[in-house]
């Protein structure tokens, strides 16, 4: 049961107050369940609420109404500290713009989540090199993000997301800034991680390349789930 | 520990920006210590010189004596009390008689103050032994300032006219027997030192004095109401106040310098919070609380201050050590400032000054580092991740 309801979104609405008293409804009564180990994606046009949904599931934001339960925890009841701890321990994020710290080396960027978790230097070193092996960048550990290509930077971001062996990785438009070759490369890496480590992946995307990798496609339109289908991926 | 580690990593990673802030702050830090040390040295030198040559371990003043009122000298004399007499006999005090007179040098008339002192006294570091002159003339000891202004040399005669205690005018020639070099202008400019007994005769004030200077090793005792004891602290209060005034004037310069340094840190912090929003969002997404992010950013600013102290110590310590050791030549005009400082001033850089300045710099840096980071507490992580700041 726990595995089946790994992520459970119930009647979630998210509204933003705009200028002159107007309200923008980003999510409107969304209901969704994601099982452990899924490789799923939320698709839809820009402004459909994909990123908002991922932010809520990642406990970066709170729903206006409704409830979100991830790994048995009701996220809306977490305070700031507990919410930070939840993200720190259980969730890996991959962003469209990589969001690497430019003054840090690749090693230091990937190491960061483990620093927050209080790992020893030896443990961190071993884990960072293992994560970089996964994404094929072990030889670039000392490089700075500015010295790498977009595809390599996104691979560093993947390594940072998986280093703490999270149960859930939320990837927000991870291929939007990449060409086809790099996109396929990083999608192959993520699919392998999902397959071999059992990490649950939830994407937000409107990229066909990503969609072709998904095993489940949840379509959002104007903040509402319009379709939710299991698909056959070619991988 | 993690907060310190990340803050350190961030400021070292910021490269030139960090070192510019550190450079400006370290200049402010060293300049504050440097100038304060000069004034502390000035205060110490002036105080030491005054104690050695005039204030001793404190003075007993005749009740009417007011050093700021020349006219009070006419009335401010009295026989020493038995207690003071005992101090004098035990070489623990020396009496001084002060009076006004007029000196005639060529065609010039110079108002002077006569100070009578026993030539054999050992209390004050003055060359009064020179007043043991055996000639028939009254011997007089003067300082270099008086010699310069009245164009006098050793052996010159100077006619002086005075009015004795009965209001009768009299005149005599005095012979300059010695010209002393002193940093204390108050015992030099327009002052003639004469043998006490001769001066008492001149004014018909047998066994009377205006003040008695105690040696530094003796404890003052209670005396009659005609005399009052003035401790060294009170005697030096004017000097301290004068130095303090000069310190305040100088502090304007270092407040400006410190302000520039702090503006650099403040500016960096404001820019950091604005330009590093995406980084802030990422750190929060990775599991940091806003409070911890604020701590990191504030600590980055504080580390700028600590680095400035370190860098300031590296280049400033040899510099101020050199000044403290070799001193600084004082220009001529300093002689007219009313402070007893020599041709060279030796700055004093004590632990209190260095520690106090370090604390001042660090507190200021901590405040300006923290202020801009408060806005992080209102920052939405989802906006920050997009580089927005609502």
């Amino acid at each position: 049961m726990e595995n089946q309801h790994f992520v459970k979104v119930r009647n979630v609405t998210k509204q933003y107050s705009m200028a002159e008293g107007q309200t923008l409804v980003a999510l409107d009564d969304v209901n969704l369940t994601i099982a452990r180990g899924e490789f799923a994606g939320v698709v839809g046009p820009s402004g459909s609420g994909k990123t908002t949904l991922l932010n809520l599931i990642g406990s970066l934001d709170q729903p206006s109404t409704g409830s979100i339960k991830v790994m048995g925890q009701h996220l809306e009841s977490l305070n700031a500290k507990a919410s930070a701890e939840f993200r720190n321990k259980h969730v890996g994020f991959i962003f469209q713009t990589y969001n690497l710290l430019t003054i840090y080396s690749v090693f230091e960027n990937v190491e960061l989540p483990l620093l927050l978790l209080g790992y020893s230097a030896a443990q961190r070193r071993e884990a960072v090199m293992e994560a970089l092996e996964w994404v094929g960048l072990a030889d670039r550990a000392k490089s700075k993000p500015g010295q790498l290509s977009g595809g390599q930077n996104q691979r560093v971001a993947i390594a940072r997301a998986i280093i703490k062996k999270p149960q859930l990785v939320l990837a927000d438009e991870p291929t939007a800034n990449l060409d086809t070759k790099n996109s396929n490369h990083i999608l192959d890496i993520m699919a392998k991680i999902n397959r071999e480590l059992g990490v649950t992946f939830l994407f937000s995307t409107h990229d066909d390349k990503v969609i072709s990798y998904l095993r489940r496609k949840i379509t959002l339109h104007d903040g509402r789930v319009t379709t939710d289908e299991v698909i056959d991926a070619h991988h | 520990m993690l907060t310190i580690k990340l803050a350190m990593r961030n400021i070292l990673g910021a490269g030139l920006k960090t070192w510019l802030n550190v450079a400006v702050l370290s200049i402010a830090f060293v300049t504050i210590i440097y100038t304060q040390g000069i004034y502390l040295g000035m205060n110490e030198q002036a105080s030491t010189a005054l104690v050695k040559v005039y204030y001793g371990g404190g003075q007993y003043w005749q009740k009417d004596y007011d050093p700021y009122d020349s006219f009070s000298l006419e009335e401010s004399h009295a026989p020493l009390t038995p207690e003071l007499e005992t101090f004098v006999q035990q070489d623990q005090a020396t009496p001084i008689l002060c009076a006004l007179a007029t000196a005639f040098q060529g065609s010039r008339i110079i108002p002077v103050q006569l100070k009578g002192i026993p030539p054999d006294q050992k209390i004050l570091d003055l060359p009064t032994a020179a007043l043991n002159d055996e000639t028939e003339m009254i011997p007089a000891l003067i300082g270099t300032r008086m010699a310069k202004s009245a164009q006098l040399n050793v052996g010159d005669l100077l006619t002086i006219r005075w009015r004795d205690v009965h209001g009768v005018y009299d005149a005599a020639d005095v012979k300059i027997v010695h010209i002393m070099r002193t940093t204390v202008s108050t015992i030099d400019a327009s002052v003639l030192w004469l043998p006490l007994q001769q001066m008492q005769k001149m004014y018909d004030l047998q066994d009377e004095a205006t003040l008695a200077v105690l040696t530094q090793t003796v404890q003052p005792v209670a005396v009659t109401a005609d005399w009052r004891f003035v401790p060294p602290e009170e005697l030096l209060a004017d000097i301290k106040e004068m130095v303090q005034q000069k310190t305040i004037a100088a502090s304007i310069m270092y407040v400006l310098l410190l302000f520039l340094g702090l503006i650099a840190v403040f500016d960096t912090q404001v820019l950091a919070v604005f330009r590093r929003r995406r980084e802030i969002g990422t750190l929060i997404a990775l599991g940091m609380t806003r409070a911890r992010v604020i701590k990191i950013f504030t600590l980055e600013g504080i580390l700028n201050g600590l680095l400035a102290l370190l860098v300031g110590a590296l280049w400033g310590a040899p510099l101020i050590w050199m000044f403290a050791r070799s001193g600084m030549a004082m220009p001529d005009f300093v002689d007219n400032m009313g402070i007893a400082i020599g041709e060279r001033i030796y700055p004093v850089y004590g632990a209190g000054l260095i520690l106090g300045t370090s604390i001042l710099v660090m507190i200021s840096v901590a405040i300006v580092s923290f202020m801009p980071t408060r806005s992080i507490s209102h920052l939405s992580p989802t906006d920050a991740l997009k580089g927005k700041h609502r």
Side-chain angles (χ1 to χ4, degrees), chain B residues 33-47 243 247 345-350 352-353:
Chain B
I33 291 177
Y34 169 75
T35 46
Q36 289 291 85
I38 289 175
Y39 287 108
L40 279 178
M42 203 181 265
N43 184 32
E44 194 169 292
Q45 258 172 267
S47 302
V243 170
T247 309
I345 188 158
Y346 293 89
V348 174
Y349 300 109
L353 169 65

Side-chain angles (χ1 to χ4, degrees), chain A residues 99-106 109 143-147, chain B residues 13 279:
Chain A
N99 286 34
L100 300 177
L101 308 188
T102 51
I103 59 168
Y104 287 15
S105 67
V106 165
N109 267 288
S143 302
K144 293 277 172 75
Q147 297 167 312
Chain B
E279 178 185 331

Side-chain angles (χ1 to χ4, degrees), chain B residues 92-168:
Chain B
Q92 290 176 327
T94 185
I96 293 176
L97 178 63
C98 303
L100 294 176
T102 308
F104 298 86
Q105 162 68 347
S107 57
R108 292 170 65 201
I109 300 173
I110 310 164
V112 293
Q113 192 182 130
L114 304 182
K115 287 184 189 286
I117 188 167
D120 300 324
Q121 64 81 30
K122 300 279 186 286
I123 310 299
L124 298 176
D125 188 16
L126 291 173
T128 50
L131 295 174
N132 279 321
D133 197 271
E134 297 298 324
T135 60
E136 287 178 9
M137 298 260 182
I138 301 169
L141 167 69
I142 59 170
T144 47
R145 292 172 188 79
M146 175 68 184
K148 193 176 171 188
S149 67
Q151 296 171 342
L152 292 168
N153 292 304
V154 173
D156 283 356
L157 297 181
L158 185 68
T159 304
I160 56 168
R161 190 187 67 167
W162 69 93
R163 196 170 71 149
D164 69 15
V165 71
H166 309 295
V168 178

Side-chain angles (χ1 to χ4, degrees), chain A residues 93-197:
Chain A
F93 287 92
I94 298 170
F95 304 102
Q96 177 181 342
T97 47
Y98 329 130
N99 286 34
L100 300 177
L101 308 188
T102 51
I103 59 168
Y104 287 15
S105 67
V106 165
F107 185 96
E108 289 167 338
N109 267 288
V110 177
E111 179 193 33
L112 201 49
L114 298 190
L115 271 172
L116 296 175
L117 286 168
Y119 279 49
S120 70
Q123 287 172 318
R124 293 199 304 270
R125 173 149 202 89
E126 191 186 335
V128 170
M129 294 320 291
E130 190 189 339
L132 287 176
E133 290 285 354
W134 267 95
V135 296
L137 285 173
D139 57 333
R140 303 305 300 267
K142 288 180 182 170
S143 302
K144 293 277 172 75
Q147 297 167 312
L148 303 179
S149 68
Q152 286 172 321
N153 274 324
Q154 195 59 297
R155 280 149 63 192
V156 175
I158 293 170
R160 184 179 65 185
I162 62 160
I163 189 167
K164 59 192 174 191
K165 299 192 169 46
Q167 297 177 61
L168 175 65
V169 170
L170 299 170
D172 187 10
E173 309 270 10
T175 56
N177 290 343
L178 303 179
D179 58 23
T180 305
K181 189 181 164 196
N182 273 310
S183 294
N184 287 334
H185 190 182
I186 69 137
L187 285 163
D188 283 339
I189 291 168
M190 289 193 274
K192 189 178 169 199
I193 292 166
N194 168 254
R195 228 173 23 246
E196 296 185 14
L197 300 180

Side-chain angles (χ1 to χ4, degrees), chain B residues 214-263:
Chain B
L214 275 191
T215 184
Q216 289 181 62
T217 53
V218 73
Q219 285 296 315
V221 293
V223 291
T224 62
D226 278 353
W227 294 82
R228 79 175 182 96
F229 181 70
V230 186
E233 302 78 50
E234 190 179 328
L235 293 167
L236 290 167
D238 286 350
I239 287 292
K240 286 214 168 92
E241 196 180 332
M242 196 183 291
V243 170
Q244 204 166 20
Q245 292 297 324
K246 290 180 193 303
T247 309
I248 289 167
S251 64
I252 292 171
M253 179 183 70
Y254 68 69
V255 162
L256 274 173
L257 264 170
L258 185 60
F259 181 71
L260 283 176
L262 294 177
I263 282 282

